[in-house]
Amino acid sequence: MASGPNPVAPPPLTPDQAAARGEHWWPVALAILVAAFLHVALPAKYRVTPSWVVPVVMLVLLAALITGDPGRIDRQKPWLRITTGVAIAFMTVANLFAAAHLVADILTNNKLFANNATGLLATGGVVWATNVITFGLWYWDLDRGGAAARAHQPDANPALVFPEMQHTDYAPATWVPIFADYLVLAFWTATAFSPTDISAIKRWAKLLMMTEAVASLGIGGLVIARAINILQ
């Protein structure tokens, strides 16, 4: 039996409509700044040196993004997409550097936290929180081509299905996820270690969620186990 015609995607919004639908910069900017300064709060051994590198680089990249796309996020330019990816990747690498050193110290019985369970838990908590922010930024930047693309074509090619998209009785038909929704996804993936009420329907999204869960479980498990051992 012949199948029906494929649904036609709605046309892109006009520039004025896209500008009105675009996300505000401040939640994303705040998350990037928090992640940068959390890295500075780590013990010196776990920071990228010199200590000013991470916050300065992130401030410069963030300033370039806001200057290139002032107001709401709606400008679709290749250099803006590349700069966004570079900013998130830089923060990811910096946190990976800290996480790798923390795990190595735990596994080799380093004396840095030998009698300081509170310091160990605080350091692990900073690495874990930064991990949540960076994965939230990755989900936000990759789903449907990024925030600017979502402003122009809100329904095009989603990788993640949110409850609001399925329960239209409780959310407006024009609902589109923003950064806060992706941050919630990152938080629950890091704490529940399992699929959340937000469903990944693209393989890259499933693999990214799996990677985050494994990283959070590994860091959290090692830090908590080592802290309990110190307290005993």
Side-chain angles (χ1 to χ4, degrees):
M1 184 174 68
S3 59
N6 292 326
V8 178
L13 302 179
T14 66
D16 288 342
Q17 290 173 323
R21 289 288 300 270
E23 294 183 47
H24 291 287
W25 266 115
W26 72 263
V28 179
L30 180 61
I32 290 174
L33 293 176
V34 167
F37 286 101
L38 279 176
H39 186 78
V40 175
L42 289 167
K45 182 178 182 180
Y46 303 121
R47 295 195 302 258
V48 174
T49 54
S51 60
W52 55 263
V53 167
V54 170
V56 167
V57 169
M58 297 308 296
L59 281 171
V60 169
L61 292 173
L62 183 58
L65 289 170
I66 296 175
T67 302
D69 189 3
R72 291 177 179 251
I73 305 172
D74 66 302
R75 294 188 181 178
Q76 293 182 287
K77 295 181 179 180
W79 77 266
L80 287 170
R81 288 283 292 149
I82 292 170
T83 304
T84 302
V86 168
I88 303 172
F90 182 79
M91 195 67 250
T92 302
V93 171
N95 198 52
L96 182 62
F97 174 86
H101 278 73
L102 178 61
V103 170
D105 282 351
I106 292 173
L107 295 178
T108 56
N109 255 344
N110 188 281
K111 300 301 181 184
L112 183 61
F113 296 113
N115 299 304
N116 188 1
T118 302
L120 174 61
L121 289 171
T123 301
V126 168
V127 172
W128 182 88
T130 307
N131 195 53
V132 169
I133 294 173
T134 53
F135 272 96
L137 289 167
W138 280 122
Y139 299 132
W140 168 82
D141 185 52
L142 295 175
D143 186 31
R144 312 185 202 189
R150 289 192 295 273
H152 288 268
Q153 291 184 293
D155 302 317
N157 200 26
L160 298 159
V161 176
F162 292 79
E164 291 86 349
M165 298 163 62
Q166 299 174 304
H167 302 287
T168 54
D169 291 342
Y170 303 99
T174 56
W175 187 90
V176 178
I178 60 175
F179 174 68
D181 300 296
Y182 295 103
L183 185 63
V184 169
L185 168 63
F187 176 82
W188 288 119
T189 302
T191 53
F193 310 122
S194 62
T196 67
D197 59 348
I198 302 166
S199 303
I201 57 173
K202 294 288 181 69
R203 289 190 180 94
W204 69 258
K206 296 176 183 178
L207 292 173
L208 194 59
M209 290 176 67
M210 183 174 70
T211 301
E212 183 190 2
V214 169
S216 297
L217 180 61
I219 294 170
L222 284 172
V223 168
I224 293 172
R226 178 61 178 154
I228 291 173
N229 186 59
I230 293 172
L231 291 171
Q232 290 176 344

